[in-house]
Amino acid sequence: MTVRYAIAFVFLMTAAVSAQESEYDFRQVRWGMSAEQVTRSEREQGSTIRKESAEEIICRTEMGGFPVSITYYFRDGAVYNALLVFLQKHSNKNLFVDDFRKLHNVLMEKYGQPVSDEKEWSNDLFRDDPDREGLAIAAGHLKYVTFWRTGSTSVLLLLTGDNYRITFAMSYRA
């Protein structure tokens, strides 16, 4: 891993959790804001709006130099959930595990011990080979799921896969 990558990753993680220290629940959004308010906030932060409807807003942005997709979900005209999907690609699937662990550590420092912290195996084929955990995740044999509850927000960190594609995501929910 390059120094640039490590610095950018730490910046990304700090940006993702720093909203919890302010009056915002996620980025510059408070639960209950309208779609218009969320769209305006995201545009002010330089995001590109990909889809906008009464039920969801999907935007693409960069955080810490990494491409990220954020989907905001609305109920009765008010935002209640933000799903953040990291769009970076790795040819070495174990690098996703490294990314997960680094973000997990940042969130542990921020929120303390999680409510639940699971490493779930559905197939033991690669269980005894730590060098192939990334492959196990991509194959759908393993997933990492960690959950925190803090203030008005539930935070879920997820690393999962299927059909040799990995999904690394976070959810902030009211």
Side-chain angles (χ1 to χ4, degrees):
M1 174 185 310
T2 67
V3 172
R4 179 189 166 280
Y5 176 80
I7 291 169
F9 190 84
V10 169
F11 176 79
L12 169 65
M13 299 312 108
T14 302
V17 298
S18 65
Q20 296 299 319
E21 296 174 355
S22 69
E23 72 269 20
Y24 300 111
D25 295 299
F26 174 73
R27 290 176 50 85
Q28 293 182 13
V29 171
R30 287 180 306 280
W31 304 134
M33 288 174 75
S34 70
E36 295 80 19
Q37 291 171 310
V38 171
T39 298
R40 184 173 44 251
S41 174
E42 282 300 328
R43 282 195 174 123
E44 288 172 359
Q45 295 177 79
S47 300
T48 302
I49 306 301
R50 303 286 219 171
K51 178 184 176 186
E52 189 174 0
S53 72
E55 292 82 32
E56 68 182 17
I57 293 172
I58 301 173
C59 61
R60 180 116 357 134
T61 191
E62 282 196 10
M63 294 174 68
F66 293 103
V68 181
S69 175
I70 303 172
T71 304
Y72 291 97
Y73 296 95
F74 297 83
R75 185 179 326 129
D76 299 324
V79 66
Y80 70 94
N81 183 225
L83 175 65
L84 187 137
V85 178
F86 301 93
L87 302 174
Q88 77 271 21
K89 306 286 185 210
H90 294 301
S91 56
N92 178 345
K93 303 299 185 197
N94 281 339
L95 293 177
F96 286 104
V97 176
D98 294 344
D99 291 349
F100 179 91
R101 288 181 178 145
K102 286 177 186 144
L103 180 53
H104 184 275
N105 289 339
V106 168
L107 294 172
M108 290 270 292
E109 287 180 26
K110 178 68 181 167
Y111 302 127
Q113 288 297 316
V115 174
S116 65
D117 196 3
E118 303 296 327
K119 185 176 176 179
E120 301 172 6
W121 288 92
S122 62
N123 182 315
D124 291 338
L125 181 63
F126 302 113
R127 189 178 197 126
D128 296 326
D129 190 352
D131 292 333
R132 298 180 82 186
E133 271 192 10
L135 178 60
I137 292 166
H141 298 179
L142 170 63
K143 68 181 173 181
Y144 288 92
V145 182
T146 306
F147 175 77
W148 289 266
R149 180 75 187 158
T150 177
S152 64
T153 304
S154 297
V155 180
L156 177 71
L157 180 62
L158 176 68
L159 184 62
T160 189
D162 187 38
N163 203 24
Y164 295 94
R165 294 187 59 193
I166 290 180
T167 301
F168 181 32
M170 289 182 69
S171 173
Y172 286 79
R173 186 178 181 110

